[in-house]
Amino acid sequence: MQTLKIDLVSDVVCPWCAIGDARLQQAITQLDDEIDVQLEWHPFLLNPDVPDDGRDILEHMSAKYGRSEDEMKAAQHEIMAAADELGLNFDRALARRSWNTFDTHRVLAYAKEQGCDGAFNRALFAAYFGRAENPTDADVLATIGASLGLDGERIREIVAGDAYAEQVERQVAHWQSLGVSSVPSFIVDNQYLLAGAQPPATLADALRQIAAERSESA
């Protein structure tokens, strides 16, 4: 069986990242007997300029995209419908606030060392979109981490200090230097960019094509 490495550049406050990951998991299921996919998560800062206390989501999106809050609410309902089709919990997506997730990614760097950053990212998607919790809050992060077998006190120490800051900054800059300007972005075998939350069948076909091209050039 052929192996493909996928680098997923993502932010936990990006709804399409949650949807994109879920669609990728469905695509991987379709490829179960054909391709072994190795997935690695990487940080992206969707809202680096948002203040520490966050910002109302509709106000933020309206200012960001130059559209009315009613238009943005309609767009959010479309996103919620797409998430619902995948079984994702987006129940409180309209109640959430926009956040700068730099500290979150520092905690995720710790989780990655412990081998559970994928599970942590998905738990944060559920906390943020499903329960409108603050994904940068030390208590939220510690509670999720503890539920995954991580050290909750260590997570609080990370949030209070600056551990992993240089690592996250370096990784964010790395992917930006390679042209990643939006998320989710799936980079396959360090060569092919699949941008956006594409349908599972589209992702599966793209991965099959990449695997075939690799076989031909081997």
Side-chain angles (χ1 to χ4, degrees), residues 11 43-48 99-108 136 161-170 172:
D11 195 356
F44 186 90
L45 298 176
L46 193 65
N47 306 313
W99 301 98
N100 177 351
T101 53
F102 184 75
D103 288 341
T104 312
H105 286 295
R106 293 195 296 112
V107 172
L108 286 168
T136 73
D162 60 2
Y164 301 98
E166 291 184 7
Q167 177 178 324
V168 171
E169 289 171 348
R170 184 170 61 252
V172 169

Side-chain angles (χ1 to χ4, degrees), residues 16-37:
W16 290 111
C17 290
I19 291 169
D21 169 61
R23 288 177 173 174
L24 176 64
Q25 298 309 310
Q26 290 190 359
I28 290 172
T29 299
Q30 294 179 26
L31 300 169
D32 190 39
D33 297 324
E34 305 171 53
I35 300 170
D36 177 33
V37 173

Side-chain angles (χ1 to χ4, degrees), residues 11-185:
D11 195 356
V12 298
V13 293
C14 167
W16 290 111
C17 290
I19 291 169
D21 169 61
R23 288 177 173 174
L24 176 64
Q25 298 309 310
Q26 290 190 359
I28 290 172
T29 299
Q30 294 179 26
L31 300 169
D32 190 39
D33 297 324
E34 305 171 53
I35 300 170
D36 177 33
V37 173
Q38 297 181 349
L39 181 63
E40 182 173 355
W41 296 71
H42 301 280
F44 186 90
L45 298 176
L46 193 65
N47 306 313
D49 300 323
V50 169
D52 291 343
D53 59 349
R55 192 178 184 190
D56 174 82
I57 191 62
L58 292 179
E59 176 187 339
H60 172 76
M61 299 296 287
S62 180
K64 184 174 183 177
Y65 294 107
R67 298 169 63 185
S68 72
E69 291 192 11
D70 284 343
E71 288 176 312
M72 297 316 304
K73 183 181 289 188
Q76 291 298 304
H77 278 298
E78 291 177 4
I79 292 171
M80 292 165 69
D84 185 63
E85 290 179 1
L86 295 161
L88 298 174
N89 181 2
F90 270 45
D91 290 350
R92 300 204 66 209
L94 286 173
R96 75 192 195 273
R97 293 176 68 79
S98 180
W99 301 98
N100 177 351
T101 53
F102 184 75
D103 288 341
T104 312
H105 286 295
R106 293 195 296 112
V107 172
L108 286 168
Y110 160 67
K112 189 173 188 176
E113 289 183 346
Q114 310 304 311
C116 70
D117 59 319
F120 211 132
N121 270 280
R122 293 175 186 123
L124 282 167
F125 288 145
Y128 180 58
F129 296 106
R131 302 188 296 275
E133 294 178 1
N134 177 358
T136 73
D137 181 80
D139 289 337
V140 171
L141 291 163
T143 298
I144 292 174
S147 74
L148 298 173
L150 301 179
D151 185 340
E153 287 307 311
R154 175 57 181 148
I155 289 173
R156 288 187 174 88
E157 291 173 0
I158 292 169
V159 175
D162 60 2
Y164 301 98
E166 291 184 7
Q167 177 178 324
V168 171
E169 289 171 348
R170 184 170 61 252
Q171 290 184 358
V172 169
H174 169 73
W175 294 108
Q176 287 179 334
S177 73
L178 294 179
V180 174
S181 59
S182 63
V183 285
S185 286

